[in-house]
Amino acid sequence: MECMTARELAAAVAATYHAWMQTVEAARSTLAEHDLTAATFQALWLIDPGAPPPSMKVMAERLYCNASNLTFITNQLIERGLIERTVDPHDRRSRVLTLTVRGRQVREQVTQAAMAQSPLAMLTSAQQQQLTALLTSAFGRT
Amino acid sequence: MECMTARELAAAVAATYHAWMQTVEAARSTLAEHDLTAATFQALWLIDPGAPPPSMKVMAERLYCNASNLTFITNQLIERGLIERTVDPHDRRSRVLTLTVRGRQVREQVTQAAMAQSPLAMLTSAQQQQLTALLTSAFGRT
DNA sequence: GCAGATCCTTCAACTCTCGAAGCATAAGAT
DNA sequence: ATCTTATGCTTCGAGAGTTGAAGGATCTGC
């Protein structure tokens, strides 16, 4: 019993690992074309152009990294002209990240390509929904 | 239509990303206790003690990294006394990685703990199986 | 045997990540 | 108001991880 449960969990974790790694792997050439690394792309990806611009703190949580690391990645994206960092008027300690026009374009292009190349694109729409439902039922975030 | 499909794929990829990252995040303190980093742990994890010892090449594929990177990680695990690198008698170019006794113990302990702390452990056994089935239907590897 | 392929290692450069220290601002206590 | 504490971010220095190019050893097919 215990043993069976553990085995199924192990398989699920392994499958999740491979799915994510293959998604990253498949995106590699596309990222390189746009002068993005995995780290900078993930940050770009996690800024939703249709939502209020996230603070550094929020972005660090989304990227599962610490504040100083995010400062580093943010600087890269700013140097490439893809995002801007502005002071949040509601809390002047906080910096808010907004996509530039070019940032929006690049983000759109690269995420589209990356998604299409992911192994998860092989699933039907219904399967994708099922997958999302399963995974989100396991944790808190979006 | 196109748009809906894309949105569902995006949600599935995002969910997979968060599931994996939270699994890694949750394991952090356990890894630190055993003097393992994420990289060394993943290598340890991906050596199945019940299977013939994998070559460097196979391990590099499992870890989605290149050969020289794997040499680096392998050296770390050897220094810690967790694995051994021996010449494959069938092909003397090839090196094969075997767990030491202590390596087997540490691997068992740490993977158990890491699995248990993963958000995927919240799912029922049936859900875990369903998840594994969905993901493995999307790609080639185990 | 020879030519080319394969497996691994070394090396140097680079990217990424972290923790400690510090600055500026905000929020709460007195 | 002022003082204290907490929060958000940055800087810095160190270390971990990753890469590609070059090279050595071994295998494979001709």
Side-chain angles (χ1 to χ4, degrees):
Chain A
M1 271 307 167
E2 260 299 327
C3 179
M4 286 305 281
T5 307
R7 187 163 311 153
E8 283 145 12
L9 175 55
V13 171
T16 304
Y17 164 73
H18 284 296
W20 174 246
M21 293 302 279
Q22 288 188 21
T23 297
V24 172
E25 198 65 12
R28 283 200 146 202
S29 57
T30 303
L31 298 191
E33 285 170 19
H34 291 266
D35 246 311
L36 291 170
T37 63
T40 48
F41 169 64
Q42 280 175 27
L44 200 62
W45 174 46
L46 292 172
I47 300 177
D48 181 354
S55 67
M56 303 282 285
K57 178 185 167 64
V58 167
M59 282 301 289
E61 283 164 4
R62 288 185 192 168
L63 284 165
Y64 302 89
C65 71
N66 68 13
S68 57
N69 190 6
L70 185 62
T71 297
F72 173 79
I73 294 171
T74 298
N75 289 339
Q76 309 247 52
L77 287 172
I78 292 174
E79 281 171 22
R80 284 165 177 71
L82 301 179
I83 64 171
E84 275 171 355
R85 168 174 38 200
T86 60
V87 174
D88 179 355
H90 294 19
D91 182 346
R92 308 235 317 274
R93 293 170 300 183
S94 182
R95 307 297 135 96
V96 142
L97 303 183
T98 58
L99 294 166
T100 62
V101 173
R102 181 147 167 280
R104 236 190 303 270
Q105 292 169 351
V106 171
R107 179 185 181 279
E108 192 60 19
Q109 271 187 265
V110 181
T111 54
Q112 292 291 336
M115 296 291 173
Q117 290 165 333
S118 167
L120 298 185
M122 305 297 286
L123 297 175
T124 67
S125 179
Q127 286 175 316
Q128 288 166 2
Q129 283 180 283
Q130 202 181 352
L131 177 61
T132 303
L134 270 174
L135 290 173
T136 53
S137 78
F139 52 78
R141 292 177 220 234
T142 321
Chain B
M1 273 304 167
E2 260 300 328
C3 179
M4 285 306 280
T5 306
R7 187 162 314 155
E8 282 145 14
L9 175 56
V13 171
T16 304
Y17 163 73
H18 284 296
W20 175 247
M21 293 301 281
Q22 287 188 21
T23 297
V24 172
E25 197 65 13
R28 283 200 146 201
S29 57
T30 303
L31 299 192
E33 285 170 19
H34 291 266
D35 246 312
L36 291 170
T37 63
T40 48
F41 169 64
Q42 280 175 27
L44 200 62
W45 174 46
L46 292 172
I47 301 176
D48 181 353
S55 67
M56 302 284 284
K57 178 184 168 63
V58 167
M59 283 300 290
E61 283 164 5
R62 289 186 191 166
L63 285 165
Y64 302 89
C65 71
N66 67 13
S68 57
N69 189 5
L70 184 62
T71 296
F72 173 79
I73 294 170
T74 297
N75 288 338
Q76 309 248 50
L77 287 172
I78 292 173
E79 282 171 22
R80 284 165 178 70
L82 301 178
I83 65 172
E84 275 171 356
R85 169 174 38 199
T86 60
V87 174
D88 179 355
H90 295 21
D91 182 346
R92 310 236 313 273
R93 292 170 301 182
S94 183
R95 308 297 137 97
V96 142
L97 303 183
T98 58
L99 294 165
T100 62
V101 174
R102 181 149 167 277
R104 234 190 305 271
Q105 293 169 350
V106 171
R107 179 184 181 279
E108 192 59 20
Q109 271 188 267
V110 181
T111 53
Q112 291 293 334
M115 295 293 173
Q117 290 165 334
S118 166
L120 298 185
M122 306 296 286
L123 298 174
T124 66
S125 178
Q127 286 176 316
Q128 288 166 3
Q129 282 179 285
Q130 202 182 351
L131 177 61
T132 303
L134 270 174
L135 289 173
T136 54
S137 78
F139 53 78
R141 291 177 219 233
T142 321

